Each structure stands twice: as structure tokens, then as C-alpha cells.
Amino acid sequence: AARFSGVRLNSDRTVLCGYGNAKNGFGGYGGSVRFISTVSGDVRLENNGTSNKAALDNYEAGEFIRSKC
């Protein structure tokens, strides 16, 4: 399960931005992480210290998200 907040389209309506908070293996929520998703379905997450193929390092994610959102 996951909770999403602050979800919005950017001004040129090409990406969806927001925060996601997913349950961990113990059933608790792990903390909100910024995400960005393109209209084609490509999703990138800010790295929250876990191994995740979709995660960008915090600087790269921050710069990318700021430039698109």
C-alpha cells in the first residue's frame, strides 16, 4: 500500500510530481519520498537510502524535479 500527497501536473502538463509513502516489510510507512512521472509512464524517485532501480541520488533528483515541476 502507498499514500500519495502533493500530486500535481507541471505547468506544461508533461509530468506528474508529488510525494509517495509506501509500507515497508514491517507494515509501517517508511517516509515520504519525492517522485516524478512522465506521461509515458517513466517514474523516478528521490533516493531515500534504499536500493531502488528507479531512485536517483538526492542531488540529481532534486535538480531534475525542480527543473520539471
Side-chain angles (χ1 to χ4, degrees), residues 4-40:
F4 296 92
S5 62
V7 178
R8 64 183 177 82
L9 282 171
N10 69 342
S11 60
D12 62 5
R13 304 179 67 85
T14 58
V15 297
L16 192 64
C17 306
Y19 294 86
N21 191 358
K23 284 191 174 184
N24 60 28
F26 298 105
Y29 286 94
S32 292
V33 175
R34 287 194 301 178
F35 75 88
I36 186 169
S37 176
T38 65
V39 293
S40 64

Side-chain angles (χ1 to χ4, degrees), residues 33-59:
V33 175
R34 287 194 301 178
F35 75 88
I36 186 169
S37 176
T38 65
V39 293
S40 64
D42 187 31
V43 176
R44 293 291 178 256
L45 308 171
E46 211 172 26
N47 187 342
N48 63 353
T50 64
S51 174
N52 187 317
K53 290 192 319 188
L56 302 169
D57 69 59
N58 285 337
Y59 177 78

